[in-house]
Structure formats: structure tokens, C-alpha cells
Amino acid sequence: MPEEWTVSAITRATLPVLLALTAVEIGSGLVLGTFEATLYRHPSLLVLVPVTIGTAGNLGSILASRLSTAMHLGTLSFAPTDDDLAGNALATVTLALSVFPVVGAGAWAATALTGTPDLTIWTVVAVSFAAGAALALLAVGITVTATYAAYRLRLDPDDVVIPVVTNLCDVLGVVVLFAVVQVLV
């Protein structure tokens, strides 16, 4: 962990990460652009995009915050037998498995209120659940990896881990949702 807590030190640590993540976000927009025709054809999926991306990023950010706090307290161990690490990862996945079906049902309901949904509620819930489960696993992996990298590079995880997790979850949210739609719809 850095000893120096100044604006310039934080900027030196964060700016390269944010510049790299900007390029990654452009890639996310390009993927979303290729997915555009499918989204217009199925409005329920269009409603699902921002909610899926946001929820995945939020789950990863919550885990990142918990791991960062544990790292600051000196209680985080990256050992496979670390019960706190495993418990936080399991809680993240469990939360995703319970939230994403509700997100899918809400997307279908919003579409039903504003028009006629062309997909069944079960299809939208299945897409949301499958994408959410995959994103939760990816978010856990990315968060643990980013936190470990921050630890190894002696960077403050508060400065770099949450931006990395939220941006990568944005990109992966689009990619995973697109992949799940290709399989299920």
C-alpha cells in the first residue's frame, strides 16, 4: 500500500488505468452497436441492457469495496482457504442469482406496460438469469484479480479496483448478454 496520500500520487496511480479503461469502454459500445438490430426487434432485451450492466457493475463494486476494506484492515488473505474471501464471493453470486430474475421480470413488465412484448416473461427471465449468473462469476474473478494486482503493485485498491471492476463489468455485461441472447432467443 502506498505511504503517500496526495492528489498527485492518486492521479499517477489512477490516470493510466482510467485511460486504458476508456479504450475498453469504446469496445463495449462497438459490441452494443452490432447487437442493435436484435435489441430493436425485442424491446424487452433493450430494457434489460442498462439494468444488467449496472447491476453487474454494482455487484462487483460491492465485492471490491469489501475486499478493499479487508485489505486495509490486514485481514485479507488470497489463500484458497480464506473463508472471508470465499464468503464474500459466494454472497455476491447468491445475490446475483436472486436479483437477476427480478430484473428480467421487471424488464418484461416495463415492456408490457408500454407496448406488446414479443418475448414471453419466461424467456426474458431466463436470459436475465443466465447472463446474471455468468456476470456474477466474472465479476468475482475480475474483482479478486484486480484486488490482488493492486496488492502486488502496492496500489491503493480504493483508487484502482472499483474503476477496473465497473468498467470491465460494463463491457462484459454487453458481451455476455449478447452471447446469452444468441443461445436462448
Side-chain angles (χ1 to χ4, degrees):
M1 292 270 289
E3 308 272 328
E4 186 181 4
W5 297 86
T6 64
V7 172
S8 62
I10 293 169
T11 303
R12 276 192 310 273
T14 307
L15 187 60
V17 172
L18 294 177
L19 290 174
L21 292 173
T22 300
V24 170
E25 285 290 337
I26 291 170
S28 174
L30 294 173
V31 170
L32 192 56
T34 63
F35 189 33
E36 189 175 2
T38 303
L39 294 175
Y40 287 145
R41 205 169 36 253
H42 306 293
S44 298
L45 300 178
L46 184 59
V47 173
L48 202 56
V49 170
V51 182
T52 299
I53 292 169
T55 304
N58 289 342
L59 289 170
S61 296
I62 291 166
L63 179 60
S65 177
R66 293 184 58 81
L67 295 182
S68 176
T69 299
M71 195 166 129
H72 284 295
L73 293 173
T75 60
L76 180 62
S77 162
F78 291 100
T81 58
D82 185 354
D83 289 338
D84 287 337
L85 182 61
N88 282 314
L90 181 62
T92 300
V93 172
T94 303
L95 185 58
L97 295 178
S98 63
V99 167
F100 275 99
V102 175
V103 166
W108 184 88
T111 305
L113 288 173
T114 59
T116 305
D118 63 328
L119 298 174
T120 68
I121 188 170
W122 305 114
T123 302
V124 178
V125 169
V127 166
S128 181
F129 180 78
L135 285 169
L137 294 174
L138 289 168
V140 167
I142 289 167
T143 303
V144 171
T145 302
T147 304
Y148 184 71
Y151 167 75
R152 296 290 295 173
L153 296 171
R154 299 186 50 79
L155 297 171
D156 186 348
D158 292 329
D159 295 339
V160 294
V161 175
I162 289 178
V164 167
V165 169
T166 55
N167 280 276
L168 289 179
C169 284
D170 284 354
V171 173
L172 290 173
V174 171
V175 172
V176 168
L177 185 61
F178 180 70
V180 168
V181 167
Q182 295 302 314
V183 172
L184 296 180
V185 176

PDB file of all heavy atoms in Angstrom, residues 2 6-7 20 25 51 57 59 66 72-73 79 81-82 105 109 113 136 142-143 150 152-153 162 167 169 185:
ATOM      1  N   PRO A   2       0.460   2.268  -0.697  1.00  0.00           N
ATOM      2  CA  PRO A   2       1.280   3.472  -0.771  1.00  0.00           C
ATOM      3  C   PRO A   2       1.323   4.191   0.567  1.00  0.00           C
ATOM      4  O   PRO A   2       0.379   4.151   1.337  1.00  0.00           O
ATOM      5  CB  PRO A   2       0.580   4.318  -1.831  1.00  0.00           C
ATOM      6  CG  PRO A   2      -0.822   3.835  -1.854  1.00  0.00           C
ATOM      7  CD  PRO A   2      -0.767   2.389  -1.457  1.00  0.00           C
ATOM      8  N   THR A   6      -1.465  11.811  -1.540  1.00  0.00           N
ATOM      9  CA  THR A   6      -1.601  13.133  -2.125  1.00  0.00           C
ATOM     10  C   THR A   6      -2.392  13.016  -3.421  1.00  0.00           C
ATOM     11  O   THR A   6      -2.516  11.929  -3.999  1.00  0.00           O
ATOM     12  CB  THR A   6      -0.226  13.757  -2.429  1.00  0.00           C
ATOM     13  OG1 THR A   6       0.427  12.967  -3.418  1.00  0.00           O
ATOM     14  CG2 THR A   6       0.638  13.847  -1.178  1.00  0.00           C
ATOM     15  N   VAL A   7      -2.887  14.148  -3.870  1.00  0.00           N
ATOM     16  CA  VAL A   7      -3.644  14.177  -5.120  1.00  0.00           C
ATOM     17  C   VAL A   7      -2.756  13.713  -6.273  1.00  0.00           C
ATOM     18  O   VAL A   7      -3.185  12.934  -7.132  1.00  0.00           O
ATOM     19  CB  VAL A   7      -4.216  15.585  -5.384  1.00  0.00           C
ATOM     20  CG1 VAL A   7      -4.830  15.675  -6.767  1.00  0.00           C
ATOM     21  CG2 VAL A   7      -5.231  15.947  -4.318  1.00  0.00           C
ATOM     22  N   ALA A  20      -6.749   3.484 -20.030  1.00  0.00           N
ATOM     23  CA  ALA A  20      -6.897   2.149 -20.619  1.00  0.00           C
ATOM     24  C   ALA A  20      -8.361   1.713 -20.613  1.00  0.00           C
ATOM     25  O   ALA A  20      -8.852   1.139 -21.592  1.00  0.00           O
ATOM     26  CB  ALA A  20      -6.038   1.145 -19.857  1.00  0.00           C
ATOM     27  N   GLU A  25     -14.061   0.710 -22.893  1.00  0.00           N
ATOM     28  CA  GLU A  25     -15.456   1.130 -22.996  1.00  0.00           C
ATOM     29  C   GLU A  25     -15.861   1.404 -24.444  1.00  0.00           C
ATOM     30  O   GLU A  25     -17.002   1.160 -24.831  1.00  0.00           O
ATOM     31  CB  GLU A  25     -15.726   2.375 -22.143  1.00  0.00           C
ATOM     32  CG  GLU A  25     -15.803   2.094 -20.669  1.00  0.00           C
ATOM     33  CD  GLU A  25     -17.042   1.323 -20.265  1.00  0.00           C
ATOM     34  OE1 GLU A  25     -18.064   1.341 -20.992  1.00  0.00           O
ATOM     35  OE2 GLU A  25     -17.006   0.693 -19.211  1.00  0.00           O
ATOM     36  N   VAL A  51     -29.901  -2.156 -17.235  1.00  0.00           N
ATOM     37  CA  VAL A  51     -30.095  -2.716 -15.891  1.00  0.00           C
ATOM     38  C   VAL A  51     -29.109  -3.853 -15.642  1.00  0.00           C
ATOM     39  O   VAL A  51     -28.526  -3.960 -14.558  1.00  0.00           O
ATOM     40  CB  VAL A  51     -31.553  -3.197 -15.715  1.00  0.00           C
ATOM     41  CG1 VAL A  51     -31.774  -3.738 -14.319  1.00  0.00           C
ATOM     42  CG2 VAL A  51     -32.521  -2.073 -16.004  1.00  0.00           C
ATOM     43  N   GLY A  57     -22.080  -4.333 -12.543  1.00  0.00           N
ATOM     44  CA  GLY A  57     -21.069  -3.415 -12.024  1.00  0.00           C
ATOM     45  C   GLY A  57     -21.246  -3.136 -10.539  1.00  0.00           C
ATOM     46  O   GLY A  57     -20.269  -3.060  -9.791  1.00  0.00           O
ATOM     47  N   LEU A  59     -22.648  -5.161  -8.290  1.00  0.00           N
ATOM     48  CA  LEU A  59     -22.242  -6.350  -7.526  1.00  0.00           C
ATOM     49  C   LEU A  59     -20.725  -6.438  -7.410  1.00  0.00           C
ATOM     50  O   LEU A  59     -20.177  -6.710  -6.340  1.00  0.00           O
ATOM     51  CB  LEU A  59     -22.798  -7.615  -8.178  1.00  0.00           C
ATOM     52  CG  LEU A  59     -24.299  -7.822  -8.072  1.00  0.00           C
ATOM     53  CD1 LEU A  59     -24.746  -8.981  -8.956  1.00  0.00           C
ATOM     54  CD2 LEU A  59     -24.712  -8.055  -6.629  1.00  0.00           C
ATOM     55  N   ARG A  66     -15.656  -4.415  -0.242  1.00  0.00           N
ATOM     56  CA  ARG A  66     -15.454  -5.308   0.912  1.00  0.00           C
ATOM     57  C   ARG A  66     -14.015  -5.848   0.950  1.00  0.00           C
ATOM     58  O   ARG A  66     -13.394  -5.913   2.012  1.00  0.00           O
ATOM     59  CB  ARG A  66     -16.463  -6.439   0.885  1.00  0.00           C
ATOM     60  CG  ARG A  66     -17.896  -5.942   1.106  1.00  0.00           C
ATOM     61  CD  ARG A  66     -18.911  -7.050   1.171  1.00  0.00           C
ATOM     62  NE  ARG A  66     -18.651  -8.012   2.216  1.00  0.00           N
ATOM     63  CZ  ARG A  66     -18.965  -7.868   3.501  1.00  0.00           C
ATOM     64  NH1 ARG A  66     -19.572  -6.772   3.903  1.00  0.00           N
ATOM     65  NH2 ARG A  66     -18.704  -8.820   4.368  1.00  0.00           N
ATOM     66  N   HIS A  72      -7.216  -3.189   3.765  1.00  0.00           N
ATOM     67  CA  HIS A  72      -6.768  -2.103   4.628  1.00  0.00           C
ATOM     68  C   HIS A  72      -6.668  -2.559   6.083  1.00  0.00           C
ATOM     69  O   HIS A  72      -5.792  -2.107   6.816  1.00  0.00           O
ATOM     70  CB  HIS A  72      -7.708  -0.900   4.535  1.00  0.00           C
ATOM     71  CG  HIS A  72      -7.536  -0.092   3.295  1.00  0.00           C
ATOM     72  ND1 HIS A  72      -6.392   0.602   3.007  1.00  0.00           N
ATOM     73  CD2 HIS A  72      -8.374   0.126   2.254  1.00  0.00           C
ATOM     74  CE1 HIS A  72      -6.531   1.225   1.855  1.00  0.00           C
ATOM     75  NE2 HIS A  72      -7.733   0.952   1.367  1.00  0.00           N
ATOM     76  N   LEU A  73      -7.564  -3.430   6.496  1.00  0.00           N
ATOM     77  CA  LEU A  73      -7.547  -3.926   7.872  1.00  0.00           C
ATOM     78  C   LEU A  73      -6.495  -5.009   8.086  1.00  0.00           C
ATOM     79  O   LEU A  73      -6.225  -5.404   9.218  1.00  0.00           O
ATOM     80  CB  LEU A  73      -8.926  -4.478   8.250  1.00  0.00           C
ATOM     81  CG  LEU A  73     -10.048  -3.442   8.345  1.00  0.00           C
ATOM     82  CD1 LEU A  73     -11.391  -4.134   8.550  1.00  0.00           C
ATOM     83  CD2 LEU A  73      -9.762  -2.463   9.473  1.00  0.00           C
ATOM     84  N   ALA A  79      -5.324 -16.652   0.015  1.00  0.00           N
ATOM     85  CA  ALA A  79      -5.204 -18.114   0.054  1.00  0.00           C
ATOM     86  C   ALA A  79      -6.533 -18.751  -0.330  1.00  0.00           C
ATOM     87  O   ALA A  79      -7.602 -18.214  -0.029  1.00  0.00           O
ATOM     88  CB  ALA A  79      -4.809 -18.563   1.454  1.00  0.00           C
ATOM     89  N   THR A  81      -7.990 -21.024   0.997  1.00  0.00           N
ATOM     90  CA  THR A  81      -8.721 -21.424   2.204  1.00  0.00           C
ATOM     91  C   THR A  81      -9.264 -20.234   2.994  1.00  0.00           C
ATOM     92  O   THR A  81      -9.809 -20.427   4.077  1.00  0.00           O
ATOM     93  CB  THR A  81      -7.795 -22.242   3.127  1.00  0.00           C
ATOM     94  OG1 THR A  81      -6.639 -21.444   3.446  1.00  0.00           O
ATOM     95  CG2 THR A  81      -7.363 -23.535   2.452  1.00  0.00           C
ATOM     96  N   ASP A  82      -9.140 -19.020   2.449  1.00  0.00           N
ATOM     97  CA  ASP A  82      -9.622 -17.833   3.147  1.00  0.00           C
ATOM     98  C   ASP A  82     -11.154 -17.832   3.160  1.00  0.00           C
ATOM     99  O   ASP A  82     -11.800 -17.640   2.134  1.00  0.00           O
ATOM    100  CB  ASP A  82      -9.093 -16.575   2.460  1.00  0.00           C
ATOM    101  CG  ASP A  82      -9.451 -15.290   3.203  1.00  0.00           C
ATOM    102  OD1 ASP A  82     -10.208 -15.350   4.196  1.00  0.00           O
ATOM    103  OD2 ASP A  82      -8.975 -14.221   2.783  1.00  0.00           O
ATOM    104  N   ALA A 105     -37.907 -10.002 -14.935  1.00  0.00           N
ATOM    105  CA  ALA A 105     -39.360  -9.818 -14.833  1.00  0.00           C
ATOM    106  C   ALA A 105     -39.720  -8.339 -14.917  1.00  0.00           C
ATOM    107  O   ALA A 105     -40.712  -7.962 -15.550  1.00  0.00           O
ATOM    108  CB  ALA A 105     -39.872 -10.425 -13.523  1.00  0.00           C
ATOM    109  N   ALA A 109     -42.061  -6.570 -17.656  1.00  0.00           N
ATOM    110  CA  ALA A 109     -43.219  -5.780 -17.206  1.00  0.00           C
ATOM    111  C   ALA A 109     -43.169  -4.365 -17.769  1.00  0.00           C
ATOM    112  O   ALA A 109     -44.206  -3.826 -18.189  1.00  0.00           O
ATOM    113  CB  ALA A 109     -43.275  -5.746 -15.677  1.00  0.00           C
ATOM    114  N   LEU A 113     -46.039  -2.773 -20.167  1.00  0.00           N
ATOM    115  CA  LEU A 113     -46.762  -1.543 -19.859  1.00  0.00           C
ATOM    116  C   LEU A 113     -46.718  -0.531 -21.000  1.00  0.00           C
ATOM    117  O   LEU A 113     -47.627   0.280 -21.149  1.00  0.00           O
ATOM    118  CB  LEU A 113     -46.200  -0.898 -18.590  1.00  0.00           C
ATOM    119  CG  LEU A 113     -46.515  -1.610 -17.274  1.00  0.00           C
ATOM    120  CD1 LEU A 113     -45.756  -0.944 -16.131  1.00  0.00           C
ATOM    121  CD2 LEU A 113     -48.007  -1.590 -16.999  1.00  0.00           C
ATOM    122  N   ALA A 136     -21.949 -12.583 -12.632  1.00  0.00           N
ATOM    123  CA  ALA A 136     -21.545 -12.641 -11.220  1.00  0.00           C
ATOM    124  C   ALA A 136     -20.230 -13.400 -11.070  1.00  0.00           C
ATOM    125  O   ALA A 136     -19.335 -12.959 -10.339  1.00  0.00           O
ATOM    126  CB  ALA A 136     -22.639 -13.301 -10.391  1.00  0.00           C
ATOM    127  N   ILE A 142     -12.843 -11.039 -11.714  1.00  0.00           N
ATOM    128  CA  ILE A 142     -12.200  -9.759 -12.020  1.00  0.00           C
ATOM    129  C   ILE A 142     -11.867  -9.002 -10.742  1.00  0.00           C
ATOM    130  O   ILE A 142     -10.780  -8.437 -10.604  1.00  0.00           O
ATOM    131  CB  ILE A 142     -13.114  -8.905 -12.927  1.00  0.00           C
ATOM    132  CG1 ILE A 142     -13.177  -9.514 -14.319  1.00  0.00           C
ATOM    133  CG2 ILE A 142     -12.637  -7.459 -12.993  1.00  0.00           C
ATOM    134  CD1 ILE A 142     -14.282  -8.935 -15.173  1.00  0.00           C
ATOM    135  N   THR A 143     -12.787  -9.001  -9.794  1.00  0.00           N
ATOM    136  CA  THR A 143     -12.574  -8.257  -8.552  1.00  0.00           C
ATOM    137  C   THR A 143     -11.424  -8.838  -7.742  1.00  0.00           C
ATOM    138  O   THR A 143     -10.562  -8.094  -7.262  1.00  0.00           O
ATOM    139  CB  THR A 143     -13.861  -8.241  -7.710  1.00  0.00           C
ATOM    140  OG1 THR A 143     -14.915  -7.688  -8.492  1.00  0.00           O
ATOM    141  CG2 THR A 143     -13.685  -7.429  -6.442  1.00  0.00           C
ATOM    142  N   ALA A 150      -3.595  -4.979  -7.347  1.00  0.00           N
ATOM    143  CA  ALA A 150      -3.358  -3.747  -6.589  1.00  0.00           C
ATOM    144  C   ALA A 150      -2.460  -4.024  -5.387  1.00  0.00           C
ATOM    145  O   ALA A 150      -1.548  -3.250  -5.087  1.00  0.00           O
ATOM    146  CB  ALA A 150      -4.683  -3.133  -6.139  1.00  0.00           C
ATOM    147  N   ARG A 152      -0.232  -6.494  -5.080  1.00  0.00           N
ATOM    148  CA  ARG A 152       1.120  -6.817  -5.552  1.00  0.00           C
ATOM    149  C   ARG A 152       1.861  -5.577  -6.059  1.00  0.00           C
ATOM    150  O   ARG A 152       3.071  -5.479  -5.919  1.00  0.00           O
ATOM    151  CB  ARG A 152       1.073  -7.877  -6.644  1.00  0.00           C
ATOM    152  CG  ARG A 152       0.542  -9.215  -6.203  1.00  0.00           C
ATOM    153  CD  ARG A 152       1.473  -9.938  -5.291  1.00  0.00           C
ATOM    154  NE  ARG A 152       2.676 -10.257  -6.031  1.00  0.00           N
ATOM    155  CZ  ARG A 152       3.744 -10.779  -5.499  1.00  0.00           C
ATOM    156  NH1 ARG A 152       3.772 -11.057  -4.228  1.00  0.00           N
ATOM    157  NH2 ARG A 152       4.809 -11.026  -6.230  1.00  0.00           N
ATOM    158  N   LEU A 153       1.119  -4.648  -6.681  1.00  0.00           N
ATOM    159  CA  LEU A 153       1.736  -3.440  -7.223  1.00  0.00           C
ATOM    160  C   LEU A 153       1.800  -2.304  -6.203  1.00  0.00           C
ATOM    161  O   LEU A 153       2.211  -1.197  -6.544  1.00  0.00           O
ATOM    162  CB  LEU A 153       0.958  -2.976  -8.461  1.00  0.00           C
ATOM    163  CG  LEU A 153       0.982  -3.935  -9.645  1.00  0.00           C
ATOM    164  CD1 LEU A 153       0.012  -3.476 -10.730  1.00  0.00           C
ATOM    165  CD2 LEU A 153       2.393  -4.079 -10.194  1.00  0.00           C
ATOM    166  N   ILE A 162     -12.177  -0.461  -8.022  1.00  0.00           N
ATOM    167  CA  ILE A 162     -13.581  -0.201  -8.378  1.00  0.00           C
ATOM    168  C   ILE A 162     -13.705   0.329  -9.810  1.00  0.00           C
ATOM    169  O   ILE A 162     -14.566  -0.148 -10.555  1.00  0.00           O
ATOM    170  CB  ILE A 162     -14.268   0.701  -7.340  1.00  0.00           C
ATOM    171  CG1 ILE A 162     -14.457  -0.105  -6.047  1.00  0.00           C
ATOM    172  CG2 ILE A 162     -15.606   1.208  -7.855  1.00  0.00           C
ATOM    173  CD1 ILE A 162     -15.070   0.659  -4.905  1.00  0.00           C
ATOM    174  N   ASN A 167     -15.904  -0.837 -15.033  1.00  0.00           N
ATOM    175  CA  ASN A 167     -15.723  -0.717 -16.476  1.00  0.00           C
ATOM    176  C   ASN A 167     -15.691  -2.076 -17.160  1.00  0.00           C
ATOM    177  O   ASN A 167     -16.310  -2.260 -18.218  1.00  0.00           O
ATOM    178  CB  ASN A 167     -14.449   0.067 -16.797  1.00  0.00           C
ATOM    179  CG  ASN A 167     -14.665   1.545 -16.675  1.00  0.00           C
ATOM    180  OD1 ASN A 167     -15.131   2.166 -17.608  1.00  0.00           O
ATOM    181  ND2 ASN A 167     -14.353   2.101 -15.520  1.00  0.00           N
ATOM    182  N   CYS A 169     -17.033  -4.813 -16.062  1.00  0.00           N
ATOM    183  CA  CYS A 169     -18.385  -5.385 -15.981  1.00  0.00           C
ATOM    184  C   CYS A 169     -19.319  -4.745 -17.000  1.00  0.00           C
ATOM    185  O   CYS A 169     -20.214  -5.413 -17.521  1.00  0.00           O
ATOM    186  CB  CYS A 169     -18.944  -5.256 -14.564  1.00  0.00           C
ATOM    187  SG  CYS A 169     -18.217  -6.443 -13.424  1.00  0.00           S
ATOM    188  N   VAL A 185     -32.531 -17.012 -27.443  1.00  0.00           N
ATOM    189  CA  VAL A 185     -33.629 -16.368 -28.183  1.00  0.00           C
ATOM    190  C   VAL A 185     -33.607 -16.805 -29.640  1.00  0.00           C
ATOM    191  O   VAL A 185     -32.672 -16.893 -30.301  1.00  0.00           O
ATOM    192  CB  VAL A 185     -33.548 -14.842 -28.071  1.00  0.00           C
ATOM    193  CG1 VAL A 185     -34.624 -14.159 -28.902  1.00  0.00           C
ATOM    194  CG2 VAL A 185     -33.702 -14.420 -26.614  1.00  0.00           C
TER     195      VAL A 185
END
